[in-house]
Amino acid sequence: MASPELSQFRRIVVKVGSALLVDSDKGEVRSSWLAALADDMARLHREGRDVLVVSSGSIALGRSRLKLPRGPLKLEESQAAAAVGQIALARIWSEVLGAHGIGAGQILVTLQDTEERRRYLNARSTIGKLLEWRAIPVINENDTVATNEIRYGDNDRLAARVATMASADLLVLLSDIDGLYDAPPKNNPNAKLIPVVESISSEIEAVAGDAESELSRGGMRTKVEAAKIATTGGTHMLIASGKIEHPLQAIADGGRCTWFLTPANPITSRKRWIAGTLEPKGTLTIDAGAVTALRAGASLLPAGVIKVEGQFARGDAVIVRGPDTSEIGRGLIAYDAEVAERIKGRSSPDVMLILGISGRSEMIHRDDLVVGG
């Protein structure tokens, strides 16, 4: 199968690891390399694409700033080093993107933020608003509060979770190797690059290796695990070398890499998850006008809701029924049940007065809504 092209994708997540971002000998950021990567991102941004960054490096930078010795750190030491490093990391990304007139927004997440629906929706909404404002979200695992029980352990899988959460259609993992090989290339001079992986089979899993970098918690095995998460969520993924300057431009020019393909798209996969996996916690009954609007692809506004049933929290799945009680669809509700009851049937200006804040204009956003045939 032919490889896709970078120009085909509208929303791209780029994962940058510690080993690429930080010179381990000097303990400093690789400034010229990062500036070149920022040039690539700015080019995609000017073309109208949405760009997100998942960046490691907070612990490595914190170690450098605090002049900590080499070797493994205890959990509390890693957390403290990250607290120092996150400030430096945010400033660095703000400066390199700001040089192109692009704003950067820092988002710190933990595993629970992508698996608990309320937190998931909050993080997703923040990402969506930053992209709407044409800023670039810079996302990192919140190492200052993560524990051994809840942390991802590597930012490859975090990047995959972020990509699916943001409905990205491509995840780029920049690595110290230019793709997945059929054998370890350091040990086998005849190893061949696998340019396209159509599905992740047991054979593909078997060729994945372990981490070799002191700064990195991830390896090829975790990259394949990340590919499973991404492709299941409708996001294509690729592994490419980040050891060269302008790595994204190299990909755009047809450089060596490995593509992991998905048969779906982010919205389709997300809606399949909403429709078939989540247990509904309540029901909204809507008027005929709202039914027509939903079938035309609109979001559900409070004004169209005539009845609220059940005990649900923001982010829970609910059933949407028409005035004749027939099921119209299912979606993720943007308000707790008590608030939904207060604002049902009300216009957006009324909602603002009732809640005392502008709030969200939709009861269920169309991206969080599955409408039946």
Side-chain angles (χ1 to χ4, degrees):
M1 179 178 288
S3 300
E5 296 180 1
L6 197 62
S7 60
Q8 297 173 226
F9 300 96
R10 65 170 185 86
R11 180 168 292 179
I12 302 169
V13 176
V14 181
K15 184 263 179 177
V16 181
S18 294
L20 296 176
L21 190 69
V22 180
D23 185 320
S24 59
D25 293 327
K26 298 179 180 178
E28 294 294 336
V29 169
R30 302 178 192 270
S31 300
S32 63
W33 177 85
L34 185 57
L37 175 62
D39 287 345
D40 291 352
M41 291 179 177
R43 185 176 300 109
L44 294 172
H45 190 270
R46 287 194 298 271
E47 292 171 356
R49 306 181 199 287
D50 293 335
V51 181
L52 302 86
V53 178
V54 173
S55 176
S56 302
S58 62
I59 295 176
L61 286 171
R63 293 184 70 137
S64 171
R65 299 296 192 273
L66 295 168
K67 297 181 169 53
L68 301 180
R70 285 178 176 268
L73 296 175
K74 296 177 182 178
L75 175 61
E76 62 272 19
E77 292 173 336
S78 293
Q79 291 173 326
V84 174
Q86 280 171 354
I87 294 174
L89 189 65
R91 178 180 58 79
I92 289 163
W93 279 108
S94 179
E95 288 177 354
V96 297
L97 294 172
H100 296 276
I102 301 171
Q106 184 188 44
I107 302 175
L108 301 176
V109 299
T110 65
L111 175 64
Q112 290 179 328
D113 293 323
T114 61
E115 295 194 344
E116 198 273 322
R117 287 194 294 277
R118 179 186 289 260
R119 296 186 186 183
Y120 174 100
L121 278 184
N122 286 337
R124 187 169 178 269
S125 295
T126 301
I127 289 170
K129 184 56 67 175
L130 286 170
L131 293 174
E132 180 184 325
W133 289 341
R134 300 301 292 152
I136 291 184
V138 179
I139 301 146
N140 193 8
E141 184 173 12
N142 193 354
D143 289 307
T144 59
V145 299
T147 67
N148 286 331
E149 289 74 27
I150 67 170
R151 70 184 309 157
Y152 280 94
D154 68 87
N155 274 1
D156 295 325
R157 283 177 286 199
L158 172 63
R161 293 282 190 183
V162 168
T164 58
M165 181 168 63
S167 297
D169 45 11
L170 177 63
L171 167 61
V172 178
L173 297 186
L174 296 179
S175 177
D176 55 2
I177 191 170
D178 56 5
L180 179 66
Y181 285 74
D182 61 4
K186 288 189 176 181
N187 303 330
N188 187 342
N190 297 317
K192 296 180 180 178
L193 179 75
I194 303 173
V196 178
V197 175
E198 295 185 38
S199 63
I200 300 173
S201 62
S202 57
E203 289 78 14
I204 291 297
E205 292 181 301
V207 302
D210 296 321
E212 297 181 3
S213 166
E214 176 188 335
L215 292 177
S216 176
R217 294 197 298 265
M220 192 55 69
R221 186 175 303 279
T222 66
K223 289 174 173 53
V224 172
E225 290 296 323
K228 286 183 185 178
I229 295 169
T231 56
T232 299
T235 301
H236 292 283
M237 192 189 95
L238 69 84
I239 301 169
S241 174
K243 298 180 76 173
I244 59 175
E245 291 205 346
H246 298 288
L248 298 180
Q249 187 58 48
I251 295 168
D253 293 339
R256 288 168 63 84
C257 62
T258 297
W259 288 87
F260 293 82
L261 306 184
T262 177
N265 66 63
I267 299 299
T268 300
S269 295
R270 176 177 170 75
K271 292 197 173 186
R272 188 182 301 123
W273 170 65
I274 294 170
T277 305
L278 300 179
E279 178 187 355
K281 299 297 175 97
T283 301
L284 302 182
T285 302
I286 63 176
D287 60 29
V291 172
T292 300
L294 296 195
R295 294 201 185 282
S299 298
L300 176 61
L301 301 179
V305 179
I306 56 179
K307 187 177 182 181
V308 175
E309 298 173 278
Q311 290 300 314
F312 50 82
R314 179 172 184 251
D316 283 340
V318 297
I319 296 172
V320 180
R321 298 188 183 278
D324 60 355
T325 73
S326 62
E327 183 170 332
I328 303 302
R330 300 186 178 203
L332 302 185
I333 189 75
Y335 290 98
D336 293 345
E338 294 80 4
V339 178
E341 177 66 35
R342 290 169 59 196
I343 65 175
K344 72 177 191 292
R346 308 302 287 266
S347 66
S348 295
D350 286 344
V351 170
M352 184 172 64
L353 291 174
I354 293 169
L355 300 183
I357 56 174
S358 59
R360 300 166 184 85
S361 58
E362 308 91 0
M363 189 80 86
I364 303 178
H365 191 278
R366 63 183 180 184
D367 288 348
D368 298 326
L369 181 68
V370 183
V371 179

